[in-house]
Structure formats: structure tokens, C-alpha cells
Amino acid sequence: MNEVRDFNHLLGNQKQISQGIATGFDEVEEKIDRLRELMLKIEAYLIRNQGTNRDE
């Protein structure tokens, strides 16, 4: 009976670990999306202003 209890405990731990990993990946994905948006804004800014800051 102890083996079953121990197994179920390990199974529960594995599920919690898997959920934690999935949550971590979601957070990383959100950060990447925010960085992608910021880079697009920077790119758009640079394109708009590429001829205005030349020292010619």
C-alpha cells in the first residue's frame, strides 16, 4: 500500500513540475512577444527618421 501512495505522490509532483514548466514557457513567450513589438516600433522609428539625422 505504501508503494501506491508513494507512486501517487511522485505522480502528483510530476504533474506540478510539468505545470510549472508550461507556465514558465508561457511567461517567456509573452516576454518575446513584447520584445518583438518593441523592436518593430524601433524599426519604424528608424525608418521614419533615417534621413533627418545625417551629418552631411
Side-chain angles (χ1 to χ4, degrees):
M1 193 65 170
N2 286 338
E3 295 85 8
V4 173
R5 186 196 70 223
D6 291 345
F7 176 80
N8 287 332
H9 183 70
L10 291 172
L11 186 61
N13 285 347
Q14 182 62 39
K15 287 179 182 179
Q16 288 178 339
I17 290 168
S18 295
Q19 184 61 39
I21 291 170
T23 299
F25 278 125
D26 288 343
E27 291 172 2
V28 169
E29 196 170 51
E30 289 173 8
K31 289 179 182 183
I32 289 171
D33 288 341
R34 286 195 302 268
L35 288 171
R36 183 179 293 120
E37 290 174 18
L38 181 58
M39 288 189 333
L40 287 172
K41 289 177 183 179
I42 292 169
E43 181 183 25
Y45 173 82
L46 292 173
I47 289 171
R48 276 194 315 267
N49 295 298
Q50 77 184 65
T52 59
N53 293 328
R54 291 192 179 160
D55 292 332
E56 296 178 11

